[in-house]
Amino acid sequence: MSHLRKKVIAANWKMNMTASEVTAYLTNFLEEIKTVLAVDVILIPSFTSLPKSSELLALIPGIYLGAQNISSHDKGAFTGEISAAMLRDLFVRYVLIGHSERRHLFGETNDLIHAKIAIAHRHEIRPILCIGETLEERLAGKEKQVLEQQLREALTGFSLEQLANTIVAYEPVWAIGTGKTPTLDQAEESHLFIRSTLAQLSNSTTAQKIRLQYGGSVTPANTREFLSAPNIDGVLVGSASLDPRTFAQIFLQAQHA
Ligand code: 13P
């Protein structure tokens, strides 16, 4: 069934690269990849690089801009926050919500994450909901329980269309920036579990439309293997996306997966 879902790779640059550095990156990356056909690419720079990136990517099909965060409020007295309308105005099409760094370093709760997903949908920005268990939770055999709770609390109450327009990224916390990855079987088991939980929250037709990404120590060397799993439709890449050539290799691997 995975042929129904277009593959999608995303680069989360986190708090790296100035706007000038992003400009140089994009020039190099676009030279390397040449055509984008079989795979959607989402580039997720810092807020300060969004205007320039938006300008440079405006005429390029298949490459979309994402933001790393979004305010849960529409507008008003929320100093330092960035609203959905501000992102839309820059042609931002996707937004990371609930990344493990936001959950663990900035105290984001599932309730806040739910509110952010709601506002993103209202402004037609597609959420990339990030979920994943810590090492402690996995060792205690609780990973499915954690994933189910994260999904339920973040995604209850949305329409089938909104759910179909959501990407869910499974990023085990212990695999982020560590060089450790789950085995292919472990990764597929988690993604299959995520898809069946999504079917309970919607229905099986909708769950089959939702794209699932794996994230955590993805490299050009392991991309193809992850993408061979029936329920993994893409990868969300941190460190290995900071070099345009390396991320272009990941893109090429994904195109041939
Ligand atoms: P790494 O690819 O550096 O492990 O980071 C993964 C990540 O957090 C992407 O959102």
Side-chain angles (χ1 to χ4, degrees):
M1 295 291 273
S2 60
H3 61 278
L4 291 174
R5 299 182 295 268
K6 191 170 181 191
K7 287 202 195 74
V8 56
I9 65 166
N12 175 11
W13 295 335
K14 309 191 179 182
M15 199 174 73
N16 294 292
M17 294 203 277
T18 61
S20 333
E21 287 165 342
V22 166
T23 304
Y25 180 109
L26 291 177
T27 312
N28 286 325
F29 180 68
L30 295 174
E31 253 172 48
E32 296 278 333
I33 68 163
K34 305 207 170 59
T35 56
V36 183
L37 293 171
V39 179
D40 283 341
V41 179
I42 307 173
L43 301 176
I44 313 177
S46 302
F47 289 127
T48 52
S49 297
L50 287 174
K52 189 69 192 171
S53 307
S54 185
E55 220 178 284
L56 292 170
L57 297 174
L59 297 174
I60 306 192
I63 304 190
Y64 303 97
L65 204 52
Q68 295 178 16
N69 191 13
I70 190 169
S71 172
S72 59
H73 299 280
D74 255 318
K75 63 170 163 176
F78 300 101
T79 302
E81 290 288 276
I82 306 282
S83 74
M86 292 168 187
L87 296 177
R88 264 310 280 198
D89 190 50
L90 293 172
F91 305 99
V92 168
R93 302 279 302 275
Y94 291 87
V95 60
L96 286 178
I97 298 183
H99 189 277
S100 98
E101 286 145 24
R102 304 267 356 141
R103 291 176 190 263
H104 296 109
L105 304 172
F106 300 97
E108 290 200 3
T109 60
N110 288 330
D111 278 354
L112 179 67
I113 288 163
H114 187 278
K116 290 184 174 191
I117 293 174
I119 211 154
H121 280 311
R122 273 217 304 286
H123 289 264
E124 294 182 348
I125 299 172
R126 296 178 177 206
I128 305 173
L129 167 64
C130 304
I131 60 172
E133 81 287 354
T134 62
L135 184 60
E136 202 183 6
E137 289 160 344
R138 175 166 280 259
L139 293 176
K142 287 191 190 150
E143 70 270 15
K144 294 205 168 91
Q145 199 181 314
V146 170
L147 296 178
E148 183 170 352
Q149 187 173 1
Q150 289 174 334
L151 287 168
R152 275 189 192 283
E153 293 185 7
L155 293 179
T156 297
F158 293 107
S159 71
L160 297 180
E161 193 190 345
Q162 286 170 330
L163 290 172
N165 285 331
T166 301
I167 293 177
V168 176
Y170 170 60
E171 299 203 301
V173 180
W174 49 272
I176 297 179
T178 58
K180 295 197 176 82
T181 53
T183 63
L184 184 60
D185 284 351
Q186 284 172 331
E188 170 59 15
E189 186 184 340
S190 299
H191 286 79
L192 178 63
F193 176 76
I194 291 167
R195 199 175 300 286
S196 40
T197 306
L198 291 169
Q200 285 171 22
L201 293 173
S202 56
N203 57 41
S204 59
T205 314
T206 304
Q208 284 299 330
K209 291 182 189 160
I210 300 176
R211 293 189 288 181
L212 305 184
Q213 288 180 318
Y214 167 76
S217 299
V218 170
T219 64
N222 61 24
T223 296
R224 234 158 134 162
E225 190 182 8
F226 282 122
L227 290 178
S228 72
N231 282 290
I232 302 182
D233 310 306
V235 286
L236 174 55
V237 190
S239 334
S241 72
L242 289 173
D243 178 274
R245 280 170 206 85
T246 310
F247 190 57
Q249 283 170 32
I250 289 177
F251 165 80
L252 293 172
Q253 294 296 326
Q255 264 213 327
H256 295 115

